[in-house]
Amino acid sequence: IDRKTRYQWIFLMKNKVPPIEFVKSFLEKNACKTTSLKIIQSDQGGELYRSPEFQQMVKDKGFIMEPTATDASYQNGVAERPYRTFRTVMRSLLTTANLGPEYWSWA
């Protein structure tokens, strides 16, 4: 989520393998459009934050990592609220259509 404009990007993944390629592609497409993208905020989840490849990529590109405290979703409220809304809408659509969670990316 862009803090200034509140614009959001959503990438659907099949599993929680470190999404290095998603992040790398996103940064290549969007970081060059603005000079203000310098800080990447992330929870300290193992999928991405603790990935050595991600740490090296952040260092090479000159970004600053800003982790939030463990179990402190209030520090990431800008991202948590839209995520909760998105999840609620998707679950409602799937339930109404009598479809299971395997159809999440189709909803």
Side-chain angles (χ1 to χ4, degrees):
I1 296 179
D2 182 328
R3 283 188 183 178
K4 185 176 181 181
T5 64
R6 300 293 195 243
Y7 189 82
Q8 304 172 49
W9 294 265
I10 296 175
F11 300 95
L12 300 175
M13 302 182 310
K14 291 185 179 187
N15 54 42
K16 289 183 90 174
V17 172
I20 300 295
E21 293 306 316
F22 287 106
V23 175
K24 198 179 288 187
S25 172
F26 173 80
L27 291 175
E28 287 172 1
K29 290 178 185 173
N30 296 290
C32 61
K33 292 181 182 177
T34 177
T35 57
S36 62
L37 181 58
K38 299 289 182 200
I39 299 172
I40 299 174
Q41 185 176 14
S42 172
D43 62 6
Q44 296 184 43
E47 305 91 35
L48 187 64
Y49 181 74
R50 294 185 181 142
S51 164
E53 186 180 353
F54 178 70
Q55 293 292 337
Q56 188 60 47
M57 182 189 68
V58 168
K59 184 179 176 184
D60 292 345
K61 302 268 185 197
F63 294 108
I64 299 167
M65 274 302 297
E66 187 177 272
T68 58
T70 305
D71 296 324
S73 60
Y74 60 86
Q75 285 187 334
N76 200 15
V78 172
E80 294 295 331
R81 177 65 183 155
Y83 175 67
R84 186 174 61 189
T85 302
F86 176 75
R87 228 180 19 201
T88 302
V89 168
M90 289 300 107
R91 284 183 182 158
S92 296
L93 289 170
L94 292 173
T95 301
T96 302
N98 293 319
L99 297 172
E102 64 271 12
Y103 293 101
W104 176 273
S105 64
W106 295 65

